[in-house]
Amino acid sequence: CGASPGSLPSASGEEVRALLLGSLSEAEHIVLIALFRLRSRQASATLAKALYEVQLLHQGGGFVATFTADRYCAAFDRLRQLRLVELSGMGAGETPERYLPCQSLVNHIYGDLVVDLERSGAGAGSSSAPLLPWNPLRALPQAVQQWASRQRS
């Protein structure tokens, strides 16, 4: 390796993102997918709207986990700590955080991941080869994969 003695080789930005996205929990991926779905419909994104998207996933059938807003709020907070999501309008006075505009800083990556899911048939059993060699969304439950790839227009 070309690294000098006592130093570690540096990782590319892509490798760092892959490691970070691979370490996310199911709830964190679901929050990022909800933000992606809102953005793909040109809807303004807030935590409240993302929670509603997630609630619809749970109510729509197929995803058997019980909807618990606190679980997804905690996931949102962790995504903010990881700097994958940011709030806009800080200092907006009395506006609760849940209603402040927010955005995913990895929305473009999630766009690629969702397209990859769609091309590979949103899960196992598809004959279509995936575009990406590694996609953390493929490890999510089938109902979540299908939810990620529908209603994007």
Side-chain angles (χ1 to χ4, degrees), residues 65-147:
T66 304
F67 175 75
T68 307
D70 288 346
R71 175 180 181 221
Y72 295 103
C73 287
F76 183 86
D77 288 342
R78 181 160 185 266
L79 292 169
R80 284 187 56 212
Q81 290 170 1
L82 293 171
R83 291 181 169 73
L84 296 178
V85 169
E86 70 180 7
L87 289 174
S88 310
M90 294 301 285
E94 303 285 322
T95 305
E97 183 178 290
R98 188 176 282 223
Y99 301 104
L100 288 173
C102 65
Q103 67 176 353
S104 165
L105 301 178
V106 290
N107 216 49
H108 61 289
I109 296 170
Y110 270 72
D112 293 341
L113 296 175
V114 168
V115 166
D116 181 61
L117 281 181
E118 291 169 346
R119 294 248 172 113
S120 63
S126 172
S127 59
S128 208
L131 297 175
L132 302 173
W134 176 82
N135 184 340
L137 302 187
R138 286 191 212 125
L140 296 174
Q142 189 71 26
V144 177
Q145 292 182 41
Q146 291 170 346
W147 173 73

Side-chain angles (χ1 to χ4, degrees), residues 50-72:
L51 290 172
Y52 182 69
E53 284 283 312
V54 175
Q55 186 175 4
L56 292 176
L57 163 67
H58 284 266
Q59 292 173 345
F63 190 52
V64 295
T66 304
F67 175 75
T68 307
D70 288 346
R71 175 180 181 221
Y72 295 103

